[in-house]
Amino acid sequence: MVSRVEHPAGGYKRLFETVEELATPMSVHITGRLPLWLSGSLLRCGPGLFEVGSEQYYHLFDGQALLHKFEFKEGHVTYHRRFVKTDAYVRAMTEKRIVITEFGTFAYPDPCKNIFSRFFSYFKGLEVTDNALVNIYPVGEDFYACTETNYITKVDPETLETVKKVDLCKYISINGVTAHPHIENDGTVFNMGNCFGKNFSLAYNVVRIPPLQADKEDPITKCKVVVQFPCSDRFKPSYVHSFGMSSNYLLFVEQPVKINLYKFLSSWSIWGANYMDCFESHETMGVWMHVAEKHTGEYLNIKYRTSAFNIFHHINTYEDNGFLITDVCCWKGFEFIYNYLYLANLRENWEEVKRLAEKAPQPEVRRYILPLDIQKNDAGKNLVTLPYTTATATLRSDGTIWLEPEVLFSGPRQAFEFPQINYREYSGKDYKYAYGLGLNNFIPDRLVKLNVKSKETWVWQEPNTYPSEPIFVPTPDALEEDDGVILSMAISPAVGHKPSCLLILDAKDMSEIARAEVDTIIPVTFHGMFKKA
């Protein structure tokens, strides 16, 4: 599975180049045979504008949001893309400069103002970005592009037009939510984020948005906090990117990457910080895991602890005989992996990319097993009695449960990331297969299927080709977990006459079924979804 493919030509740099939106959908060139049953749209988000005038965006998560769509209809395929007309985008285009501070790029005050008004603009307080470049998901009958702040942006999945900006703070006690909600088959949405309360009381709130009701009112107006997880540090909440959910439990992995609220709320406006400047690592806390009952909201006061890692993506979480099993994509240690995702690093020549990646935390796919029923006389014992795992959970004399993982996949500087499963049928349940984007020294150069039980892998890879997150689409009336196709957008800038394509792979063996080629570069995308016709 471990990739030894080299990229001396540096074609991956094209992933981080500005492109123009399309006025109308573009026709595609099909090779192979499209499945006739595949009907609907692949929708994806990512950055598409990496500079404004002479001003550069510095971080991978800074460029202005571009919404992409490959539409499958009666054997025909089209490709379309539009910028999401957020305030961050519209004001940048209007003023021809970066107006709103992004994740790793500070927006300086208007240089045309006099020195007095520029000085005061530093003290106006924080203007939070609405740059919705990370994901798109459904709420009721609507679709929202999102980042990780309190703003989500309603978009039209047919035309890709921007409809309206929604401030979740108006409906719920939350300062931001993740771009990775869990969505149940009835349309119920669970999401999670930090909450900065009165007197700096910090917590992590899980919110529930109900499915569309008979009254047809916007479900967002009915969202509620259902669980509140405590914070390990009163003044420094951890960075939250995703969370785990099984049939009956919610799981929050509190990592040692912290947000320094003093910097966030004060220094930001005085000396020109960005979001990245406000992160710091807690070098001794390790990782705390928190569990709550999903339906009652009851917090299980069990102190799960393990050694330090960064986490962004959960693969799946499920229950088995009194245990909560969670499979996660980890980066070992307490240093923030985002420190290595500045665009200057990713645009380096291949030898330099590899050299930088050697210093970074190393990736690993891990399984942790959390016992839900703890007896005090079990101190010193491994509480995990499941026969199929090497993961352990040991009750210590101080009452904490020390977790050691089972490693499901590991390779030097080879990540299995942006994981996807057969979500509709297997989210929160015992499962066998995960699909991931293979990062080779942070460069996405392969697609991987992982059997989480046997650790067997299948790989799709092609020289000088850089794919995106794999999306699983099941075949109609599928009988097996991996009956379906994998969809992934890829660029091949050095090969052939069309530089980008949509790959359609057989989800069973990762062999190529077809591809839809387009005569334009498609920049990096992060997350997305398949919307059935």
Side-chain angles (χ1 to χ4, degrees):
M1 145 79 213
V2 174
S3 170
R4 288 287 169 255
V5 172
E6 298 284 305
H7 301 284
Y12 50 83
K13 298 177 189 180
R14 302 296 302 276
L15 288 167
F16 315 114
E17 287 184 5
T18 292
V19 295
E20 293 183 346
E21 63 180 9
L22 299 174
T24 56
M26 176 186 278
S27 62
V28 307
H29 176 250
I30 304 291
T31 61
R33 296 193 65 177
L34 277 177
L36 292 175
W37 56 265
L38 191 60
S39 183
S41 301
L42 176 69
L43 298 166
R44 292 194 61 74
C45 277
L49 183 76
F50 293 93
E51 66 283 315
V52 182
S54 62
E55 296 184 12
Q56 300 283 326
Y57 289 109
Y58 293 121
H59 200 273
L60 180 60
F61 303 126
D62 290 352
Q64 292 303 307
L66 187 62
L67 190 56
H68 306 257
K69 178 171 81 162
F70 275 95
E71 184 171 22
F72 301 84
K73 196 172 186 180
E74 297 169 353
H76 298 284
V77 186
T78 56
Y79 168 67
H80 195 25
R81 66 184 180 214
R82 301 282 300 274
F83 281 104
V84 186
K85 305 304 190 292
T86 59
D87 286 352
Y89 175 83
V90 170
R91 289 175 61 187
M93 291 297 96
T94 304
E95 298 190 33
K96 296 182 173 49
R97 64 183 187 90
I98 296 170
V99 178
I100 296 179
T101 292
E102 298 292 349
F103 202 75
T105 304
F106 175 66
Y108 289 93
D110 186 350
C112 297
K113 290 180 180 175
N114 66 41
I115 190 73
F116 192 70
S117 61
R118 286 210 319 257
F119 177 77
F120 273 96
S121 71
Y122 277 113
F123 291 88
K124 282 194 306 189
L126 174 59
E127 188 165 26
V128 174
T129 184
D130 60 345
N131 181 17
L133 79 162
V134 183
N135 204 357
I136 178 169
Y137 61 89
V139 177
E141 293 179 340
D142 300 324
F143 290 81
Y144 290 88
C146 64
T147 178
E148 297 182 329
T149 68
N150 50 299
Y151 296 116
I152 58 176
T153 302
K154 184 176 171 182
V155 293
D156 183 329
E158 300 307 315
T159 64
L160 305 187
E161 287 180 3
T162 302
V163 180
K164 67 175 179 179
K165 170 177 170 177
V166 174
D167 182 358
L168 293 171
C169 288
K170 291 181 178 175
Y171 306 102
I172 203 79
S173 179
I174 207 96
N175 288 84
V177 293
T178 81
H180 290 284
H182 279 285
I183 301 172
E184 298 189 310
N185 290 347
D186 69 353
T188 303
V189 177
F190 285 86
N191 209 342
M192 180 178 176
N194 291 311
C195 174
F196 311 154
K198 291 178 183 173
N199 305 317
F200 272 98
S201 61
L202 287 179
Y204 308 94
N205 283 348
V206 178
V207 300
R208 179 183 180 274
I209 305 175
L212 192 66
Q213 309 290 311
D215 59 18
K216 294 288 185 182
E217 277 186 37
D218 184 350
I220 288 176
T221 64
K222 302 176 180 180
C223 63
K224 290 192 169 115
V225 173
V226 290
V227 171
Q228 190 162 81
F229 288 115
C231 184
S232 63
D233 186 322
R234 186 177 170 198
F235 297 111
K236 294 177 181 177
S238 289
Y239 174 59
V240 185
H241 191 87
S242 65
F243 62 103
M245 187 172 85
S246 69
S247 300
N248 298 295
Y249 295 95
L250 293 157
L251 169 70
F252 168 46
V253 178
E254 191 177 16
Q255 63 180 323
V257 175
K258 295 286 187 176
I259 304 165
N260 185 322
L261 279 189
Y262 289 122
K263 282 186 181 176
F264 193 73
L265 299 174
S266 61
S267 304
W268 177 298
S269 53
I270 297 169
W271 54 268
N274 55 53
Y275 294 79
M276 280 293 292
D277 293 322
C278 300
F279 287 108
E280 58 187 49
S281 292
H282 191 310
E283 298 186 9
T284 57
M285 79 167 272
V287 163
W288 296 23
M289 296 196 193
H290 304 268
V291 178
E293 292 199 357
K294 180 171 140 191
H295 303 293
T296 66
E298 180 189 354
Y299 176 66
L300 304 193
N301 196 17
I302 304 174
K303 296 178 173 132
Y304 301 104
R305 304 287 186 267
T306 190
S307 51
F309 61 80
N310 282 206
I311 178 172
F312 306 101
H313 300 121
H314 288 248
I315 301 175
N316 200 11
T317 301
Y318 64 96
E319 303 150 35
D320 186 2
N321 282 309
F323 296 93
L324 196 62
I325 294 139
T326 189
D327 295 344
V328 291
C329 299
C330 297
W331 298 82
K332 302 176 198 175
F334 52 76
E335 188 189 2
F336 197 20
I337 202 72
Y338 286 6
N339 292 339
Y340 294 87
L341 299 181
Y342 282 93
L343 290 166
N345 292 356
L346 298 171
R347 289 166 171 158
E348 283 284 3
N349 290 327
W350 180 238
E351 290 304 317
E352 184 64 11
V353 165
K354 288 195 295 182
R355 191 184 70 76
L356 290 164
E358 282 181 10
K359 303 176 186 174
Q362 292 304 298
E364 201 163 72
V365 179
R366 294 177 175 176
R367 169 166 289 180
Y368 287 92
I369 299 194
L370 289 65
L372 297 168
D373 181 25
I374 312 296
Q375 305 299 324
K376 287 186 178 168
N377 57 0
D378 285 336
K381 295 181 189 171
N382 170 26
L383 306 181
V384 179
T385 55
L386 299 173
Y388 52 78
T389 184
T390 57
T392 61
T394 306
L395 177 59
R396 292 181 161 179
S397 56
D398 63 0
T400 59
I401 310 283
W402 185 262
L403 305 174
E404 288 290 345
E406 176 181 2
V407 176
L408 301 183
F409 171 78
S410 184
R413 291 172 293 285
Q414 306 289 317
F416 177 101
E417 261 290 358
F418 297 87
Q420 292 281 327
I421 62 171
N422 182 341
Y423 186 88
R424 186 171 179 84
E425 296 297 326
Y426 288 89
S427 176
K429 300 174 188 172
D430 188 4
Y431 77 117
K432 189 183 286 185
Y433 299 115
Y435 300 88
L437 179 63
L439 303 181
N440 176 6
N441 296 276
F442 295 120
I443 300 302
D445 71 355
R446 65 199 181 283
L447 297 165
V448 184
K449 176 183 181 179
L450 171 67
N451 182 326
V452 298
K453 297 186 185 298
S454 71
K455 300 175 185 160
E456 183 181 3
T457 56
W458 297 258
V459 177
W460 180 94
Q461 189 168 35
E462 188 173 272
N464 303 307
T465 299
Y466 307 98
S468 67
E469 172 191 56
I471 299 290
F472 177 85
V473 183
T475 54
D477 308 316
L479 297 175
E480 295 182 293
E481 182 180 341
D482 56 353
D483 277 350
V485 296
I486 293 297
L487 303 180
S488 175
M489 300 194 323
I491 67 163
S492 307
V495 182
H497 66 287
K498 295 199 188 298
S500 303
C501 69
L502 176 68
L503 295 166
I504 301 112
L505 309 181
D506 186 326
K508 284 195 175 293
D509 61 8
M510 300 300 280
S511 62
E512 185 173 325
I513 297 171
R515 64 175 64 189
E517 298 175 324
V518 291
D519 203 5
T520 181
I521 284 285
I522 297 176
V524 62
T525 57
F526 300 130
H527 301 291
M529 59 169 289
F530 187 76
K531 176 183 174 289
K532 286 185 177 176

